[in-house]
């Protein structure tokens, strides 16, 4: 699947072409050239121009917008960005998600200013994951303004607020919006209302879609009757033309009669009485869809209905094969048939999109004909296939000969990747569909699919880990952990809830959002205690201590570190000796910062002893140096010099030249402060002697 925010569609692509829209295209170009009422009055608005294309489902509004964008794209060197603002199923896309997708698109796309990398234009003020949605939208608007002349194409706009949230405050930019009706509240918007095609264009479209048969040209009156029955809507005409092409022996009169009789099943015919009821007569697009649907063979009709489950409306043979439980070759042939009938929009030779106008009809057909258990099974097969592909996506980056690579070699060829670059490209282009699949699985799982949803989240997060830099996928990871949290809370899984909260807290802490991190860590501690997960509880306690230490709240930091230390000491000593040693050092650090010398000395001595037992001389040497520093601060200079000497001796045994030089110089400075100049010279000489072999080695390497 192409990334919804960056990849353009080909001109004239979609379930029908831009036939018969020359007048509308001229009007749009004229609107682009005109000054506008506010500009003419001397009060130009500090925002981008907005051209609105409004029309009913099936009127070709998106196709017209794509053609217009193609014609004017060269006027906007900053690039063309695309976003769909309504998900399949009719749910508006949250502004934050759209803004983040567009920011990511800016970072990947050409068009940055002179001397700047694209990611500098887009991500200079990229808000952290979990930020307020208004801040994310503001970051997008600022990035667009910095980029210069940008064209923003917003498809399936649900309400005016979506445009106002995303449109940059720059007259150099243009927003082309597509919606089902007028949008109030958008200043200086230029609407272009679409209805049906003119009669000649409608007949031409029907004839082209019907293929080589001369039925349309030899019977123009019947053709015009069909056009009227279809409301001259391009999508309905495309479907009807596809039906005619698939039934070369049926006359236009037959088509007219069949179209008049077509419609959704009655409640008695439907598996779901609610799905089959309709308070209004079917509209032209609905009649054309059901005419084509009912003409399909049983396997083709079933697979078509299951395409309503396709995440983000994306379909390829792999996904269709999983949904239908059929072979890849059968799935590929079926998708080709659907394209010829006007049921799918081609993206390339093997990838398709469910047209937005047909999505609600597919869902209605699925609800009417498919048993809930069968739909659940189809969704499970699809999710299982996605999990396998993501596992292969990660495994191809593992070292040769590893267990993951051996498992990858045992997968069917259709699931494998031959090279990490192939896997990375697949992950990036499928990202919107993969995230949509996760959201749908979590939203609709409610127990039955929760296990698969958790596996899919885990597989997607691991794939991001190996293919994307942490900052590039931070927002996606944040959303994934929030979804894990939702599933864990729904199922009372306290340990999983604690893990998700810890991960979210770490992401908040990584962007200095300490207040949010503290809330996450406290909730993680509560969840860990409910789940009797001592490891997670200890981790939460340490993280709380780290957060307060970053905030320079030494008292609270020492308190939480102390609690974490008590918990570690209460467990099996051998399993936690490294954690205990580390915590003694952290306690020593915060007591040192708070000028509590006695507590600091006890903690650093305990850390040094713990590292000695662990046989970690470098860490022990550092701890001894901190003991010496505290001793010197409280006036115990003799003890401090002796401890510095001990630290230097231990560091030399550690084999870490840099550490040994650092501690020797610290000891020399302490000796100078104590008036022991001979000892200071001895330490500095030792440091110089340690440096010389290191410098010689570096010089040899450079030569």
């Amino acid at each position: 699947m192409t990334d919804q925010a960056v990849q353009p569609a080909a001109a004239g692509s979609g379930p029908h072409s831009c036939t018969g829209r020359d007048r509308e295209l001229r009007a749009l170009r004229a609107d682009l050239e005109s000054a506008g009422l506010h500009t003419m009055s001397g009060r130009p608005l500090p925002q981008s121009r907005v051209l609105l294309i409004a029309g009913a489902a099936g009127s070709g509004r998106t196709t017209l917008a794509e053609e217009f964008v193609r014609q004017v794209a060269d006027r906007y060197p900053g690039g063309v960005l695309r976003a769909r603002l309504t998900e399949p199923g009719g749910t508006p896309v949250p502004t934050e998600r759209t803004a983040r997708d567009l920011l990511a698109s800016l970072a990947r796309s050409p068009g940055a200013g002179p001397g700047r990398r694209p990611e500098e234009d887009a991500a200079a003020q990229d808000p952290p994951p979990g930020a307020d949605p208004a801040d994310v939208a503001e970051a997008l608007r600022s990035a667009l303004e910095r980029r210069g002349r940008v064209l923003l194409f917003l498809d399936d706009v649900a309400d005016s607020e979506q445009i106002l949230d995303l449109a940059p405050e720059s007259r150099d930019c243009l927003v082309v919006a597509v919606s089902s009706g007028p949008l109030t509240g958008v200043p200086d918007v230029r609407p272009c209302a679409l209805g049906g095609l003119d009669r000649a264009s409608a007949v031409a479209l029907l004839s082209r879609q019907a293929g080589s048969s001369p039925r349309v040209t030899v019977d123009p009156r019947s053709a015009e009757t069909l056009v009227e029955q279809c409301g001259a809507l391009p999508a309905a005409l495309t479907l009807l033309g596809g039906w005619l092409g698939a039934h070369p022996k049926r006359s236009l009169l037959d088509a007219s009669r069949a179209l008049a009789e077509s419609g959704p099943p009655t409640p008695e015919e439907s598996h779901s009485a609610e799905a089959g009821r309709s308070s209004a007569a079917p509209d032209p697009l609905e009649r054309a869809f059901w005419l084509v649907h009912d003409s399909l063979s049983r396997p083709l009709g079933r697979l078509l209905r299951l395409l309503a489950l396709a995440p983000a409306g994306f379909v390829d043979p792999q996904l269709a094969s999983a949904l239908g439980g059929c072979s890849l070759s059968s799935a590929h042939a079926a998708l080709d048939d659907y394209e010829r009938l006007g049921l799918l929009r081609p993206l390339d030779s093997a990838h398709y999109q469910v047209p937005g106008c047909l999505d609600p009809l597919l869902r209605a057909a699925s609800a009417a004909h498919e048993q809930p258990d069968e739909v659940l099974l189809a969704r499970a097969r699809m999710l299982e296939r996605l999990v396998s592909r993501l596992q292969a996506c990660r495994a191809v980056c593992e070292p040769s000969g590893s267990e993951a690579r051996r498992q990858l070699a045992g997968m069917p060829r259709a699931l494998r990747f031959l090279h990490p670059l192939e896997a990375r490209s697949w992950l990036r282009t499928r990202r919107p569909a993969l995230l949509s699949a996760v959201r749908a699985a979590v939203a609709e799982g409610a127990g039955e699919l929760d296990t698969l949803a958790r596996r899919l989240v885990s597989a997607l997060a691991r794939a991001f880990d190996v293919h994307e830099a942490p900052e590039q996928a931070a927002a996606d990871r944040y959303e994934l952990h929030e979804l894990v949290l939702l599933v864990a809370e729904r199922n009372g899984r306290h340990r999983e809830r604690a893990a998700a909260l810890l991960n979210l807290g770490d992401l908040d802490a990584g962007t200095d959002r300490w207040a949010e991190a503290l809330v996450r860590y406290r909730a993680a501690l509560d969840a860990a205690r409910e789940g009797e997960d001592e490891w997670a509880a200890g981790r939460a306690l340490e993280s709380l201590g780290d957060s307060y230490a970053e905030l320079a709240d030494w008292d609270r930091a020492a308190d939480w570190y102390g609690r974490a230390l008590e918990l570690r000491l209460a467990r099996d000593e051998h399993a936690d000796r490294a954690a205990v040693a580390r915590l003694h050092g952290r306690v020593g650090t915060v007591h040192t910062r708070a000028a509590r010398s006695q507590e600091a000395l006890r903690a650093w001595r305990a850390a040094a002893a713990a590292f000695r037992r662990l046989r970690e001389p470098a860490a022990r040497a550092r701890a001894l140096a901190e003991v010496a520093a505290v001793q010197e601060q409280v006036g115990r200079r003799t003890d401090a010099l002796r401890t510095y000497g001990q630290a230097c001796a231990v560091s030399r045994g550690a084999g870490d030249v840099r550490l040994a030089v650092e501690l020797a110089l610290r000891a020399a400075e302490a000796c100078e402060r104590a008036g022991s100049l001979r000892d200071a010279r001895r330490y500095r000489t030792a440091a110089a002697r340690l440096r010389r072999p290191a410098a010689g080695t570096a010089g040899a390497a450079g030569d």
Side-chain angles (χ1 to χ4, degrees):
M1 175 181 176
T2 53
D3 188 321
Q4 65 173 348
V6 269
Q7 298 294 341
S13 66
H16 49 80
S17 71
C18 207
T19 300
R21 296 302 189 189
D22 292 341
R23 180 176 58 82
E24 288 83 358
L25 285 169
R26 286 195 299 270
L28 286 167
R29 288 194 295 268
D31 283 339
L32 182 61
E33 299 293 346
S34 64
L37 295 176
H38 289 80
T39 301
M40 293 173 63
S41 66
R43 302 189 306 275
L45 294 173
Q47 69 169 46
S48 57
R49 302 282 298 277
V50 178
L51 299 183
L52 172 65
I53 300 174
S59 61
R61 59 200 184 194
T62 298
T63 303
L64 174 62
E66 284 284 6
E67 174 60 19
F68 174 70
V69 167
R70 186 192 67 80
Q71 292 184 7
V72 302
D74 58 352
R75 304 188 189 188
Y76 297 91
V80 177
L81 301 176
R82 291 168 166 79
R84 185 178 178 182
L85 303 190
T86 302
E87 294 179 333
T91 304
V93 178
T95 297
E96 178 191 5
R97 188 191 308 165
T98 301
R100 286 195 183 279
D101 285 346
L102 291 170
L103 282 167
S105 301
L106 280 171
R108 291 192 297 267
S109 62
R116 294 173 61 86
R117 296 190 304 272
E119 60 270 20
E120 290 176 340
D121 269 348
Q125 298 178 358
D126 199 5
D132 186 272
D135 294 337
V136 182
E138 176 58 33
L140 171 66
R141 291 193 296 271
S142 298
L144 292 173
E145 291 163 21
R146 289 194 301 274
R147 178 66 71 94
R149 295 183 63 82
V150 176
L151 194 158
L152 187 58
F153 176 25
L154 304 178
D155 197 6
D156 281 347
V157 177
D159 57 59
S160 58
E161 291 300 320
Q162 292 178 308
I163 295 179
L164 296 174
D165 287 342
L166 299 171
E169 296 179 353
S170 169
R171 299 297 288 179
D172 291 333
C173 298
L174 173 67
V175 175
V176 176
V178 175
S179 121
S180 59
L183 299 176
T184 59
V186 180
D188 205 20
V189 64
R190 302 299 186 86
C192 174
L194 283 191
L197 297 172
D198 64 84
R199 183 173 298 177
S201 298
V203 171
L205 175 58
L206 180 65
S207 178
R208 184 172 64 250
Q209 188 69 11
S212 58
S213 171
R215 286 169 291 179
V216 174
T217 55
V218 301
D219 190 0
R221 187 176 297 276
S222 294
E224 291 176 358
T225 299
L226 284 173
V227 166
E228 292 177 4
Q229 286 182 275
C230 290
L233 292 176
L237 290 166
T238 298
L239 290 171
L240 183 58
W243 183 88
L244 285 168
H247 297 82
K249 295 183 179 181
R250 304 292 292 271
S251 68
L252 297 190
L253 183 59
D254 293 334
S256 178
R257 289 170 178 167
L259 186 62
E261 296 170 357
S262 66
T266 64
E268 293 75 16
E269 298 170 325
S270 171
H271 288 309
S272 169
E274 289 299 321
R277 258 183 219 117
S278 177
S279 58
D283 61 30
L285 178 59
E286 192 175 4
R287 286 191 182 279
F289 169 79
W290 284 106
L291 174 65
V292 174
H293 171 275
D294 293 344
S295 70
L296 297 173
S297 66
R298 188 168 183 176
L300 280 177
R302 177 176 177 273
L303 178 56
L304 175 67
R305 293 188 293 272
L306 291 176
L307 295 185
L309 301 176
F314 165 77
V315 185
D316 67 0
Q318 281 271 357
L319 183 137
S321 170
L323 285 173
C326 59
S327 67
L328 274 175
S329 58
S330 297
H332 206 305
L335 298 182
D336 287 342
D337 287 341
Y338 298 150
E339 179 193 348
R340 283 191 291 270
L341 289 167
L343 293 164
L344 288 180
R345 172 183 182 177
L347 299 174
D348 55 43
S349 60
H351 302 89
Y352 307 85
Q353 188 85 26
V354 175
C357 62
L358 298 186
D359 174 72
L361 298 174
L362 282 182
R363 293 173 184 271
S366 179
H369 287 280
E370 299 300 320
Q371 296 284 2
D373 289 346
E374 288 296 321
V375 173
L376 186 66
L377 180 60
R379 188 187 292 276
R381 286 195 303 262
M382 177 186 70
L383 296 179
E384 192 68 59
R385 182 71 60 91
L386 291 176
V387 169
S388 297
R389 288 287 274 171
L390 286 166
Q391 289 172 341
C393 184
R394 177 183 61 85
V396 74
C397 297
E398 294 293 322
S400 180
S402 64
E403 179 61 26
R405 289 296 288 269
R406 285 194 292 271
Q407 291 178 359
L408 178 65
M411 288 183 175
R413 172 63 189 93
L415 294 179
R416 286 185 278 131
F417 296 97
L418 299 181
H419 192 275
L421 289 178
E422 180 189 4
R424 182 176 298 116
S425 175
W426 177 87
L427 179 65
R428 287 180 175 176
T429 56
R430 265 66 169 187
R431 173 188 160 275
L434 291 167
L435 290 170
S436 178
V438 172
R439 296 181 196 113
V442 170
E444 301 178 24
E448 294 90 344
L449 295 177
D450 275 346
T451 299
L452 265 174
R454 292 198 303 273
R455 290 179 57 208
L456 182 58
V457 169
S458 175
L460 183 53
R462 291 181 179 184
F464 281 146
D465 286 341
V466 298
H467 288 291
E468 300 287 2
E471 63 275 9
Q472 289 177 322
D476 291 338
R477 289 190 182 93
Y478 200 90
E479 181 182 4
L480 291 176
H481 291 312
E482 287 186 317
L483 291 171
V484 170
L485 179 61
L486 176 61
V487 174
E489 289 175 339
R490 186 163 67 204
N491 292 277
R493 294 177 175 269
H494 301 302
R495 294 191 171 207
E496 291 183 11
R497 183 160 62 96
L501 286 163
L502 286 170
N503 288 324
L504 288 167
D506 290 345
L507 287 169
D508 286 328
T511 54
D512 297 333
R513 300 173 70 239
W514 298 109
E516 293 82 357
L518 286 169
V519 171
R520 298 289 195 185
Y521 290 141
R522 287 179 184 273
L525 179 60
D526 293 338
R529 287 169 173 167
E530 289 184 67
E532 298 181 353
D533 187 341
E534 290 189 352
W535 180 90
R539 167 95 147 68
L541 289 167
E542 287 186 48
S543 298
L544 284 164
D546 292 342
S547 300
Y548 280 115
E550 290 287 344
L551 294 171
D553 190 337
W554 311 120
D555 291 338
R556 285 194 174 92
D559 178 44
W560 288 110
Y561 282 145
R563 296 187 196 188
L565 184 58
E566 289 177 8
L567 180 62
R568 296 290 186 186
L569 292 173
R571 299 178 63 190
D572 179 13
E573 179 183 356
H574 296 288
D576 288 300
R577 284 192 301 177
V580 167
R582 183 182 66 250
L583 278 168
H584 278 307
R586 291 183 178 181
V587 171
T589 297
V590 295
H591 282 314
T592 300
R593 297 288 181 87
R596 289 190 289 265
S597 55
Q598 294 305 313
E599 292 88 342
L601 282 172
R602 282 196 296 271
W604 283 119
R605 283 172 176 155
F611 286 124
R612 178 178 59 80
R613 290 192 293 272
L614 288 169
R615 297 182 181 179
E616 294 186 14
R620 181 189 174 203
R622 288 189 180 280
L624 288 169
E626 295 302 327
V627 171
V630 176
Q631 288 173 331
E632 186 180 10
Q633 287 176 4
V634 297
R636 296 166 54 182
R637 295 183 180 274
T638 302
D639 292 341
L641 295 180
R642 183 171 61 251
T643 306
Y644 269 126
Q646 186 181 3
C648 289
V650 172
S651 69
R652 288 192 293 271
D656 187 336
V657 175
R658 289 180 180 273
L659 175 62
V661 170
E662 175 191 340
L663 295 188
L665 293 176
R666 288 180 63 180
E669 292 170 357
C671 289
E672 290 168 350
R673 287 191 292 270
S676 182
L677 300 183
R678 179 180 298 177
D679 288 338
R681 285 195 296 273
R682 178 167 57 85
Y683 279 119
R684 292 192 181 278
T685 300
R689 190 180 302 117
L690 287 167
R691 279 174 170 165
R692 275 197 295 272
T697 302
D703 295 339

